[in-house]
Amino acid sequence: MGKLNELTISKAAKGLKEKKFSAVDLLKDCLAVIKGKNKDLNAFVTVDEEGAMKTAKTVDKKFAAGEKLPILAGIPCGVKDLICTKGVRTTCCSPILRDFVPPYDATVVEKLKTQDMVMIGKTNLDEFACGGSSEHSCFGPTKNPHDLSRVAGGSSGGSAAAVTANMCLYALGTDTGGSIRLPASFCGNYGMKVTYGRVSRSGVNAMASSWDTVGHFAKNVEDIATVLSVIAGRDRRDLTTPDREVPDYSEFLGQDVKGLKIGLPKQYFGEGVQKEIATAVMEKVAILEKAGAEVMEVDLPSTKYAVAAYYICVPAELSANLERFDGIRYGKKPAKEPKDLIDFYFEARGTGFGDEIKRRIMIGTYVLSAGYYDAYYKKAQRVRTVIVNEFVEAFKKVDVMIGPVSPIPPFKVGELVDDPLAMYLADALTIPVSAAGVPALACPAGADAAGLPIGLQIIAPQFEEGRCIRVGDFLERGQG
Ligand code: GLN
């Protein structure tokens, strides 16, 4: 039969519909790869073989009974382990939630379950999604499927590596400052970061509530469109999701790019961006230009302040969101008998959080404290507003913008883990997009001399994910 796990969603769905193979066959091939490769990659932290098998069998019965099923029926999906899955452990890869089993599904998971998705397991991440390499996980780092000595990117590294290694056909992730795009770029697949509010965050552990978005990884743009059409939309449990129509995103496939105005932010190709990466992205832009797109330079002058503003705004929100993990209502109780309540908190949080989380809680509480609030937090918020306005201005001139995802190639495991500032800079080109709350699709853009993947991002105005899909699909079909 071959390796069914290597299929795209659309091909697998066709095979299932035509009864060329069953959902159980498809699942078995995915599980076989997980068994073979997860020891090395560490992409999954929990595999729900039993639950997945049960759903696959139900799907097969429905097909056998002649039922017409949605395209995602029977397709194995990986879910980032900070997205709640009913009855399946959801740890956020933090010691404090190591044994947490949610009593309900996140809205995204619930929506996919109505389509009969096969939830194969939970994927690795940086603790509470704080990181760019997936090394800050209590389960150890995820490795890059292209080179096991390198990181998969983060924080949704497990989901990205799982899709590239064909352990599942698509996977869910979250992107607050780059956590879908960076791992998609490092692992060489497609990653959709949506407009803030396009996909419900209900049941997804909050990192920084005014930045967090839920999105997904897939092997091609068609599959990105398929999944987005299902997960996007209004949710009464997340009031940041507007009551705005969800298009059928597959309508943006197969179009041309004639007359499309493409902006190249000059800051995305300048200092700090490796030449080989900028050149690879420009080669893709040239394809679009040849096909009739109008390419022009645009200016996003505050790009250089984005990382600094992010590391004030985001830890501030994070420190507030993580307050609930006190070992009483949420989180593991301390192992040793505490002297008093304060001692209880110190024990529960001191042993429950990793170093990066502690670092961010300290920064967050500091910038919010009386006397420092105006100097840091308020100023950083103002910088965010300036960045938002620069995007609004740029989008008056162009339909989409294109730039690299990461200024550097996938780095070695351990290389930057003790140098937080250097690690933070890997997100220098993804963070401004998150600040503006606009969508961006990470797409493969070839490889560097060492054979490591390079990624570009197609950035669109708010709620114009369709434009990302149109351009991404065109590039995928053009293939150089
Ligand atoms: N790498 C960034 C950080 O560490 C982004 C994380 C994310 O998008 N969740 O904050």
Side-chain angles (χ1 to χ4, degrees):
M1 175 65 37
K3 293 182 181 151
L4 302 173
N5 55 305
E6 290 175 10
L7 296 172
T8 57
I9 296 175
S10 58
K11 292 224 168 86
K14 192 161 175 276
L16 287 172
K17 196 168 148 206
E18 291 168 358
K19 300 201 171 56
K20 294 224 166 82
F21 49 83
S22 70
V24 169
D25 294 334
L26 176 60
L27 174 62
K28 278 187 179 159
D29 281 4
C30 289
L31 288 170
V33 186
I34 295 177
K35 279 191 188 121
K37 289 193 183 163
N38 201 48
K39 280 185 301 301
D40 293 330
L41 289 177
N42 201 19
F44 279 93
V45 297
T46 303
V47 179
D48 183 20
E49 188 168 338
E50 208 185 307
M53 199 47 90
K54 203 169 142 207
T55 317
K57 283 183 180 157
T58 311
V59 168
D60 284 338
K61 271 195 205 126
K62 289 187 185 176
F63 272 122
E67 263 187 59
K68 237 182 129 290
L69 296 181
I71 185 164
L72 292 177
I75 310 289
C77 167
V79 177
K80 187 178 185 180
D81 205 27
L82 93 167
I83 300 177
C84 283
T85 42
K86 186 175 177 179
V88 178
R89 184 177 77 148
T90 300
T91 68
C92 298
C93 292
S94 174
I96 207 157
L97 285 178
R98 226 184 155 117
D99 308 315
F100 177 62
V101 179
Y104 64 92
D105 280 320
T107 297
V108 259
V109 172
E110 200 177 84
K111 282 189 168 181
L112 290 168
K113 280 189 177 171
T114 64
Q115 312 280 302
D116 289 319
M117 76 129 150
V118 171
M119 207 292 287
I120 193 165
K122 306 302 292 289
T123 58
N124 205 1
L125 61 137
D126 288 292
E127 184 173 2
F128 286 108
C130 291
S133 67
S134 300
E135 292 171 284
H136 300 300
S137 160
C138 70
F139 298 102
T142 297
K143 309 280 177 59
N144 193 314
H146 293 276
D147 176 350
L148 292 177
S149 72
R150 293 180 189 268
V151 299
S155 64
S156 317
S159 286
V163 169
T164 291
N166 296 309
M167 292 170 160
C168 49
L169 277 64
Y170 70 108
L172 296 177
T174 59
D175 190 314
T176 300
S179 276
I180 287 180
R181 287 161 290 158
L182 192 71
S185 168
F186 279 10
C187 292
N189 56 37
Y190 292 86
M192 182 82 233
K193 182 258 178 233
V194 299
T195 307
Y196 179 77
R198 179 75 292 195
V199 174
S200 169
R201 294 167 299 123
S202 174
V204 180
N205 202 297
M207 177 182 165
S209 309
S210 79
W211 300 68
D212 294 342
T213 60
V214 181
H216 51 294
F217 298 87
K219 298 177 197 175
N220 66 9
V221 181
E222 184 183 6
D223 289 356
I224 287 284
T226 301
V227 177
L228 184 59
S229 301
V230 173
I231 63 174
R234 167 97 181 129
D235 177 19
R236 62 176 181 81
R237 292 188 300 219
D238 176 356
L239 296 180
T240 63
T241 54
D243 198 4
R244 213 183 151 112
E245 195 204 342
V246 177
D248 172 358
Y249 288 102
S250 66
E251 281 172 8
F252 296 93
L253 301 168
Q255 296 190 10
D256 64 22
V257 291
K258 263 191 217 83
L260 197 78
K261 292 200 178 90
I262 297 176
L264 305 178
K266 66 174 183 225
Q267 291 77 6
Y268 283 45
F269 295 87
E271 205 193 323
V273 180
Q274 268 194 16
K275 219 170 163 148
E276 218 178 343
I277 293 178
T279 307
V281 175
M282 284 310 293
E283 272 170 24
K284 296 290 178 190
V285 171
I287 295 171
L288 298 168
E289 193 165 24
K290 216 166 129 212
E294 205 183 311
V295 178
M296 63 195 84
E297 192 178 90
V298 289
D299 199 10
L300 297 173
S302 300
T303 300
K304 58 177 180 286
Y305 303 120
V307 171
Y310 175 91
Y311 279 98
I312 291 175
C313 298
V314 168
E317 292 187 32
L318 178 83
S319 68
N321 278 328
L322 293 187
E323 268 173 21
R324 76 194 68 172
F325 301 108
D326 54 9
I328 298 175
R329 274 175 313 161
Y330 291 105
K332 210 171 61 189
K333 293 194 177 18
K336 86 174 208 265
E337 192 57 39
K339 285 198 295 289
D340 52 27
L341 186 62
I342 298 297
D343 189 42
F344 183 99
Y345 289 150
F346 267 109
E347 248 330 278
R349 290 168 68 86
T351 56
F353 290 135
D355 288 349
E356 181 64 20
I357 294 301
K358 287 181 189 161
R359 187 178 295 130
R360 294 191 190 203
I361 290 176
M362 284 191 281
I363 296 171
T365 45
Y366 182 82
V367 300
L368 287 177
S369 58
Y372 295 107
Y373 185 96
D374 285 357
Y376 295 106
Y377 183 70
K378 213 162 153 191
K379 199 161 172 191
Q381 289 288 18
R382 289 206 176 111
V383 172
R384 185 178 186 186
T385 304
V386 171
I387 292 171
V388 170
N389 292 339
E390 285 176 7
F391 272 80
V392 170
E393 282 308 309
F395 280 128
K396 284 183 185 157
K397 298 186 205 102
V398 297
D399 301 306
V400 294
M401 292 192 263
I402 292 181
V405 170
S406 170
I408 52 169
F411 41 88
K412 294 259 185 198
V413 175
E415 192 180 332
L416 300 182
V417 81
D418 295 321
D419 187 352
L421 283 182
M423 177 96 80
Y424 295 169
L425 286 175
D427 285 320
L429 308 178
T430 52
I431 282 175
V433 176
S434 300
V438 297
L441 176 64
C443 305
D448 67 8
L452 297 168
I454 292 173
L456 61 78
Q457 51 181 334
I458 303 158
I459 309 160
Q462 290 204 333
F463 296 100
E464 296 293 351
E465 281 80 0
R467 291 190 201 167
C468 303
I469 287 170
R470 175 178 167 194
V471 178
D473 171 63
F474 186 88
L475 280 177
E476 190 189 340
R477 282 181 291 122
Q479 282 310 328

